[in-house]
Amino acid sequence: MKLGDIAVSYIDIVINAMSALGCESDAVLAQYGLNSKIIASPDARISIPKFMRFGHSCIHSAQAPWLGLEMGKVTSPAHLGLAGFIALSSDTIADAFANLTLYELLNSYNVRGQSSFYLEQGCAVLQFYSISPYNAYNYFVVDSVLSAWYHAMSWLGGNANDIEKICFEFPAPQYADKYRDYFACEVLFEQDKNCMVISAEAVKFKCLHHCQSTNAALIRQADNELNKVRLGLSFHEKVSRVIGPLLNDSTPTLEQVAEQLNMTPWTLRRRLVAEGGSFQQSLNRTRLELAISYVCDTTLSLGEISYLLGFSSSSAFQRAFKRWTGAAPGQYREAASAKKI
């Protein structure tokens, strides 16, 4: 199980942000084997780990750790694919953000979770899932998403003054003063979630470019694309996609996964048996596949990986990893790194 991937349109966003900051990106693109043909392909995707390394390299090249904030500012509906154009043609701001999160999977898949839009305590909340632990490789991802949502209010036809606050899970970074240049609202750090909070009245506003017929046609196309994605997954893979976001610091239960899939535990168990497996096998396979991806494709410490996979301790994870692969995770990482070289 891979950590996820995104459309190459996100590379365009990074390129545009680098340009806006007065920096060239050609050398970094070449370093990662990204050329105009790949970037122009409608089907090309880039893995989440590679995108994080690419973004980190661009930040280093531009000497601009706030690159993600600029990425959000230059993000357009076109960069978000069908989800972007569905949002643009939606009836109200609420419909736009609901559609943006509903069809996010067409442009971006992350094993850690999916964005959501909901009403809470008289306000509308647009929430990005947690990708902690945070480090130099992923601050910019959260920055770019929340900045893109904030600036989307402009092209949707809303008013940024109706955004009440922007919340980040992580502590204020060294470039915290830069947030004032991108957000004209309260910005809070060390919060319990990454989100944008909008007044309940603002989400009722009509979108500037709403068109019922175009929106319906785009939704029909997007639903067909989503069905293709789902039809291509085995039931084990569907279960694994639910298990992934539930793993953080705990072991998900059969009942929790069944609830997420909107079915009874008995039905979930029966369908896995029909594929020749079991819930425990799906849980173990998901952990193994993610463990290998985290060890080989990220710089996360073994303690951090242990947390992300729901193990009680780092030593428990290391014992399980050696049982699964025949090698300690540190040795496995060194061997994988040597092969890349």
Side-chain angles (χ1 to χ4, degrees):
M1 187 179 191
K2 299 301 182 183
L3 301 181
D5 56 30
I6 57 177
V8 289
S9 56
Y10 286 92
I11 299 299
D12 259 331
I13 295 174
V14 180
I15 293 171
N16 292 346
M18 290 282 281
S19 179
L21 293 173
C23 303
E24 292 291 333
S25 55
D26 290 350
V28 185
L29 288 167
Q31 178 186 343
Y32 285 86
L34 296 168
N35 54 46
S36 57
K37 184 176 181 180
I38 292 173
I39 296 172
S41 170
D43 302 313
R45 310 277 287 194
I46 181 171
S47 73
I48 294 289
K50 184 175 181 178
F51 180 68
M52 287 184 173
R53 291 195 297 270
F54 171 72
H56 181 261
S57 294
C58 286
I59 286 171
H60 181 75
S61 174
Q63 292 298 294
W66 61 90
L67 178 67
L69 297 173
E70 188 66 33
M71 286 171 59
K73 185 177 180 180
V74 301
T75 299
S76 72
H79 291 123
L80 304 178
L82 273 174
F85 288 115
I86 290 172
L88 190 69
S89 59
S90 293
D91 185 32
T92 65
I93 300 296
D95 293 330
F97 283 128
N99 284 326
L100 205 56
T101 57
L102 177 62
Y103 296 106
E104 180 181 70
L105 182 60
L106 295 178
N107 222 39
S108 169
Y109 167 68
N110 193 324
V111 71
R112 302 294 299 278
Q114 183 175 350
S115 302
S116 57
F117 176 74
Y118 54 91
L119 299 178
E120 181 180 75
Q121 298 179 346
C123 295
V125 180
L126 195 58
Q127 182 178 339
F128 184 62
Y129 45 88
S130 174
I131 57 172
S132 64
Y134 293 101
N135 53 47
Y137 289 85
N138 61 13
Y139 281 120
F140 85 93
V141 175
V142 184
D143 283 345
S144 67
V145 172
L146 294 186
S147 177
W149 288 346
Y150 177 88
H151 289 93
M153 285 291 280
S154 297
W155 47 261
L156 289 174
N159 192 328
N161 292 332
D162 294 305
I163 297 175
E164 298 192 351
K165 59 184 177 180
I166 302 287
C167 300
F168 294 88
E169 283 185 330
F170 49 76
Q174 291 182 340
Y175 55 94
D177 60 310
K178 290 291 182 179
Y179 287 80
R180 291 195 296 270
D181 298 336
Y182 293 88
F183 301 119
C185 66
E186 185 178 23
V187 176
L188 300 173
F189 297 98
E190 295 187 87
Q191 301 300 295
D192 62 352
K193 55 194 171 191
N194 299 307
C195 69
M196 179 171 79
V197 180
I198 315 168
S199 70
E201 287 301 311
V203 291
K204 299 176 185 176
F205 297 162
K206 289 284 187 179
C207 289
L208 184 64
H209 304 286
H210 69 92
C211 178
Q212 189 173 355
S213 60
T214 298
N215 188 252
L218 290 170
I219 285 177
R220 181 170 59 193
Q221 183 180 350
D223 284 340
N224 286 336
E225 292 299 319
L226 274 181
N227 286 334
K228 288 179 185 177
V229 172
R230 291 165 180 155
L231 285 172
L233 298 174
S234 67
F235 190 66
H236 158 72
E237 289 170 325
K238 292 177 182 177
V239 169
S240 290
R241 288 196 170 197
V242 173
I243 289 174
L246 296 174
L247 277 172
N248 288 9
D249 198 29
S250 64
T251 301
T253 65
L254 174 73
E255 289 74 21
Q256 287 176 312
V257 174
E259 183 180 2
Q260 291 287 316
L261 289 170
N262 196 28
M263 62 179 59
T264 66
W266 182 87
T267 301
L268 188 151
R269 186 182 294 110
R270 177 179 57 80
R271 292 193 59 179
L272 285 172
V273 169
E275 284 191 357
S278 68
F279 178 72
Q280 190 60 47
Q281 286 175 337
S282 288
L283 176 61
N284 290 341
R285 281 175 59 190
T286 301
R287 273 179 158 167
L288 168 59
E289 291 165 0
L290 288 177
I292 291 174
S293 290
Y294 282 130
V295 167
C296 296
D297 298 328
T298 77
T299 58
L300 293 171
S301 70
L302 299 184
E304 289 169 335
I305 296 173
S306 170
Y307 170 85
L308 292 175
L309 296 177
F311 282 93
S312 58
S313 66
S314 178
S315 58
F317 161 63
Q318 293 185 63
R319 286 195 300 271
F321 191 91
K322 189 168 185 177
R323 186 173 66 251
W324 290 334
T325 66
Q331 295 172 325
Y332 201 97
R333 174 173 274 173
E334 288 178 8
S337 179
K339 288 180 181 178
K340 291 177 183 177
I341 296 172

